[in-house]
C-alpha cells in the first residue's frame, strides 16, 4: 500500500498529539491513529498541572520538563485555550534540603517558612491545562497544518506501517502489549471536581500521611486529588475514596468546605518502571523506523512538548 504520510503517530493523548505537531513543524506529513477520540483518552482525566510528579531525577527528563514549562508559558501568554499560569504552594513535611532536582525549570521558585505540621513551603508559578479544550486545540492545529486524525485501533504496531514508513508509538498503557514491555503498568488516579469558590492558587501536600493531596483551581471548577495506586487497573467509582479526598482537601483549603461537588474522574496513568521510554527501536522493520514514546505516568503534560521535540528528532533522523 502506498504510504499516505511521512510519519504515523499511534496514540491520540497529549504525548501523541504534541509529538505529531512537533513532527509537522519540521515539515513531515503526519497521520495520527487513535483508538479513541482525544477527548476520551486518559489525558482528559488529568489535573494537568505542570509538575514532574513521581518522576525520578534524570537530565533528559529535566530538559523535557524545562522545555515544556517554557512552551506552556508561551501558550498561556498567547491565550491558547485551557492554558493558564497559576501561583503554586507546595507544602513540605520533611526538612528542606535545598532546591528540588526540577528547580532549574522554575526560575521563580522560592522556599518560605510554613506553620506546623509543615516544615516549609515552595512557591512557584506553574502552567495549568484544562485538557478538554486543550486537546481540541491540538487537534485543530494538526488538521490546519494538513495532518489527519483517524479513529483506528491498532492490534499490532507492524500493521500501522501501511500508513507511513516511520511510526511513533505513543500508546500509553497499551504499549505494554504492543511493544512487549513488562515494565509498563497502570497507576490508578482518582480526582473530585467541585465548583470554584474563587480560588486562584494551586496547593499541594504530597507527603500527607493520609494520601497525596492537591487542590488545583480552574476557570469554573477545582480539581481535588487524589490517589496514586500502582498496579490498580480498575476505574470503578469509589465513594469512600472520593469522600476522603474531599476531607483532605477541605482541611488543606477550608474555603472549599461549601463548594458543591460537580463530579469525579478516575483514570489509569500509563507508568513504566525505569521511566519513560523514548528511543528508536533497533528491532524496527526493514526500511522503516519505529520510535517509542510512552511510560510518562502522571507527568505526560509536564514532559509533553520537550519529549515531542526529541521524538521528532529521532523520527526524522536528527
Amino acid at each position: 500500500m502506498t504510504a499516505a504520510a511521512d510519519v504515523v503517530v499511534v496514540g491520540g493523548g497529549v504525548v501523541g498529539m504534541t509529538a505529531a505537531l512537533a513532527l509537522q513543524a519540521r515539515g513531515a506529513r503526519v497521520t495520527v491513529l487513535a483508538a479513541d477520540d482525544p477527548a476520551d483518552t486518559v489525558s482528559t482525566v488529568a489535573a494537568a498541572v505542570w509538575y514532574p510528579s513521581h518522576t525520578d531525577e534524570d537530565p533528559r527528563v529535566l530538559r523535557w520538563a524545562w522545555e515544556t514549562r517554557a512552551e506552556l508559558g508561551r501558550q498561556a501568554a498567547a491565550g491558547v485555550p485551557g492554558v493558564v499560569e497559576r501561583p503554586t504552594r507546595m507544602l513540605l513535611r520533611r526538612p528542606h534540603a535545598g532546591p528540588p532536582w526540577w528547580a532549574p525549570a522554575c526560575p521563580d521558585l522560592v522556599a518560605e517558612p510554613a506553620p506546623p505540621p509543615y516544615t516549609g513551603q515552595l512557591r512557584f508559578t506553574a502552567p495549568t491545562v484544562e485538557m478538554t479544550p486543550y486537546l481540541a486545540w491540538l487537534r485543530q492545529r494538526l488538521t490546519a497544518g494538513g495532518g489527519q486524525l483517524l479513529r483506528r485501533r491498532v492490534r499490532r504496531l507492524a500493521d500501522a506501517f501501511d500508513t507511513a514508513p516511520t511510526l511513533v508509538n505513543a500508546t500509553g498503557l497499551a504499549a505494554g502489549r504492543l511493544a512487549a514491555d513488562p515494565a509498563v503498568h497502570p497507576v490508578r488516579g482518582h480526582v473530585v471536581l467541585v465548583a470554584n469558590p474563587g480560588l486562584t492558587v494551586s496547593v499541594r501536600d504530597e507527603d500527607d500521611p493520609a494520601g497525596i493531596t492537591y487542590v488545583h483551581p480552574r476557570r469554573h471548577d477545582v480539581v481535588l486529588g487524589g490517589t496514586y495506586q500502582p498496579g490498580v487497573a480498575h476505574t470503578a467509582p469509589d465513594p469512600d475514596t472520593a469522600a476522603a479526598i474531599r476531607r483532605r482537601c477541605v482541611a488543606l483549603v477550608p474555603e472549599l468546605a461549601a463548594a458543591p461537588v460537580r463530579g469525579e474522574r478516575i483514570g489509569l496513568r500509563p507508568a513504566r518502571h525505569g521511566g519513560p521510554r523514548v528511543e528508536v527501536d533497533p528491532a524496527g522493520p526493514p526500511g522503516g523506523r519505529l520510535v517509542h514514546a510512552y511510560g510518562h505516568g502522571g507527568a505526560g503534560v509536564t514532559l509533553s512538548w520537550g519529549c515531542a521535540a526529541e521524538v521528532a528528532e529521532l523520527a526524522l533522523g536528527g
Side-chain angles (χ1 to χ4, degrees), residues 117-134:
Y118 304 107
T119 60
Q121 65 180 333
L122 302 178
R123 285 188 179 270
F124 55 97
T125 304
T128 63
V129 182
E130 294 189 43
M131 292 306 295
T132 297
Y134 190 63

Side-chain angles (χ1 to χ4, degrees), residues 20-37:
L21 290 175
L23 287 158
Q24 195 173 69
R26 292 183 51 148
R29 297 176 301 158
V30 182
T31 293
V32 176
L33 302 182
D36 302 297
D37 189 276

